[in-house]
Amino acid sequence: MVPHLVTALTGPINELEQRVLDSMPAIERWFRLEWMEHTPPFYTSVDIRNAGFKLAPVDTNLYPGGWNNLTPEMLPLAVQSAMAAIEKICPEAKNLLVIPENTRSTFYLANLVQLQRIFHMAGLNVRIGSIDPEIKAPVTIDLPGGSQVTLEPIVRTKRRLGLKDFDPCTILLNNDLSAGIPGILEEIHEQYLLPPLHASWSVRRKSKHFKSYEEVSKRFGKMLGIDPWLIHPLFNMCGEVDFTARAGMECLTTNVDALLTRVRKKYKEYGINEKPFVVVKADNGTSGMGIMTVRDAREIAGLSDAAARRMAESKAGQPVSEVIIQEGVLTNERINDAVAEPVVYMMDRYVVGGFYRVHAERGIDENLNAPGSSFAPLAFAESTRLPQPGMKPGASAPNRFYMYGVIGRLAMLAASYELEATDPEAEVYD
């Protein structure tokens, strides 16, 4: 399915598309040099919003689920990328243990089946070991479509983690550890744990990620000769907020107002007639929870009790005390008249595909990661749909999707910077 591109054929987004296509060799060389200096996250997914006048990542996930949304045409590239990633980390790897989220959602479990398939085709024995205390013996679950998944209880020895009669060289976390890092995963020194524990939402903060992304976008913008705002969402943050007790609301109001003022200034500079808005999110992982859209700072004072309760708690029941206030980016894409946003999937340093998140009941300025969303494959799922230089900007879906891949890789590079800066084992120099 090729989505309808509703963006106008003039304006900043198409100038950006043209600049990206014209600069393709320079862009690829720039990334190549960056990856010589920095290690990409093992796997990454990035939510992107195309407003028609700017294109920016709004969320970067280092424990991506949703691999079941990738089409069969995407799998060969995912397998090749998995091979490249494993080869760099543990070339002699034979056994891979995947540790999933503690959920029985069939949609999530189908994601595990797809991951298992990818790494099996990459030449590994793959089994799924659960840290859920309720899993005390192997459990096989039938899934829609006829597939099955088997969850087995984790076995921890003094120095290693595995399953009964299964000793892995590498452990792949597909659990973002929002509820905290369990002791069973700590002090593992003989095996490769991917991604590292400091990539989990119990440690990671969106504000640190977007600070790194701001640095990346400025350097990339300078190379391309563009305003980095065209690819970067502005942001502020508040570190001490209690929505239940209505504490820290002054900090929130002040920072929302300041950010809206900055966005209005940019809109005026580019002649954009849309009404600016910001998105307030929990600074640690949300999974679509703990999010609200604000168009006027006065809305904070008038926040209803129900809205405050929704904001007070994020994934795994974690209380929200730190928030990021992010420039809202409209979505200007549609599938069957429903608003849509692209999600780009990467393994190692390669774009392997992605999909559109679609929500028929949400507006162009609302969060689409919510109950009722559905998914449609991205057109660059097909390996034959390569960028087509010479096409009129805005007329070619593959060209637009190449640009999405560039933005996705910029966010992945920012995540690499972020992980280096927060690595507890990194040497610190004065």
Side-chain angles (χ1 to χ4, degrees), residues 347-408:
M347 182 102 54
D348 193 54
R349 59 196 177 100
Y350 306 102
V351 175
V352 299
F355 51 84
Y356 268 99
R357 182 182 288 116
V358 186
H359 205 304
E361 296 171 13
R362 292 286 172 113
I364 61 172
D365 60 353
E366 292 184 289
N367 168 45
L368 304 187
N369 185 9
S373 61
S374 59
F375 307 93
L378 280 176
F380 67 25
E382 301 168 34
S383 57
T384 54
R385 300 298 293 257
L386 294 171
Q388 301 165 328
M391 292 285 288
K392 187 178 181 181
S396 164
N399 286 355
R400 184 60 51 88
F401 300 145
Y402 172 74
M403 186 164 61
Y404 290 165
V406 168
I407 298 298

Side-chain angles (χ1 to χ4, degrees), residues 100-160:
E101 298 273 354
N102 297 348
T103 176
R104 297 294 181 93
S105 158
T106 55
F107 185 83
Y108 174 76
L109 295 176
N111 148 74
L112 293 181
V113 171
Q114 184 84 305
L115 271 177
Q116 201 166 17
R117 185 179 296 126
I118 289 167
F119 286 102
H120 176 75
M121 289 191 286
L124 294 165
N125 300 313
V126 187
R127 284 163 69 176
I128 299 169
S130 177
I131 56 175
D132 185 342
E134 293 183 10
I135 304 284
K136 301 184 187 303
V139 177
T140 299
I141 301 167
D142 294 323
L143 301 176
S147 60
Q148 291 183 324
V149 64
T150 300
L151 306 177
E152 301 179 67
I154 287 282
V155 175
R156 174 72 194 250
T157 62
K158 186 175 181 182
R159 304 176 69 88
R160 296 180 74 83

Side-chain angles (χ1 to χ4, degrees), residues 135-247:
I135 304 284
K136 301 184 187 303
V139 177
T140 299
I141 301 167
D142 294 323
L143 301 176
S147 60
Q148 291 183 324
V149 64
T150 300
L151 306 177
E152 301 179 67
I154 287 282
V155 175
R156 174 72 194 250
T157 62
K158 186 175 181 182
R159 304 176 69 88
R160 296 180 74 83
L161 198 62
L163 305 174
K164 185 181 178 184
D165 304 322
F166 187 77
D167 185 31
C169 149
T170 304
I171 299 158
L172 179 64
L173 282 172
N174 196 241
N175 181 328
D176 63 21
L177 306 178
S178 292
I181 298 170
I184 198 169
L185 297 180
E186 295 182 322
E187 301 298 323
I188 296 174
H189 301 299
E190 294 183 354
Q191 295 159 297
Y192 296 96
L193 184 64
L194 304 167
L197 293 177
H198 68 280
S200 69
W201 282 125
S202 51
V203 177
R204 195 172 168 232
R205 295 293 178 266
K206 291 178 187 290
S207 53
K208 286 185 177 175
H209 173 74
F210 280 100
K211 188 68 183 168
S212 294
Y213 184 81
E214 183 177 25
E215 180 188 340
V216 167
S217 64
K218 283 178 179 176
R219 292 181 49 236
F220 184 79
K222 186 176 180 181
M223 181 194 70
L224 236 60
I226 62 167
D227 179 354
W229 177 76
L230 294 173
I231 57 171
H232 168 60
L234 303 174
F235 71 97
N236 281 340
M237 64 168 295
C238 282
E240 292 293 332
V241 178
D242 184 335
F243 285 97
T244 305
R246 304 297 176 110

Side-chain angles (χ1 to χ4, degrees), residues 267-294:
Y267 277 24
K268 187 175 181 182
E269 179 184 338
Y270 282 93
I272 296 161
N273 294 321
E274 302 287 348
K275 185 177 174 66
F277 66 101
V278 299
V279 179
V280 179
K281 308 179 187 180
D283 205 14
N284 55 348
T286 59
S287 293
M289 300 174 67
I291 297 177
M292 67 177 176
T293 299
V294 182

Side-chain angles (χ1 to χ4, degrees), residues 46-90:
V46 179
D47 296 355
I48 297 172
R49 304 275 287 210
N50 173 4
F53 52 84
K54 76 180 290 178
L55 180 74
V58 293
D59 209 5
T60 301
N61 188 355
L62 301 182
Y63 299 85
W67 289 90
N68 49 312
N69 289 316
L70 271 60
T71 61
E73 292 87 354
M74 298 180 195
L75 288 189
L77 190 50
V79 170
Q80 287 180 317
S81 301
M83 285 177 174
I86 290 291
E87 201 171 288
K88 285 197 302 192
I89 294 155
C90 185

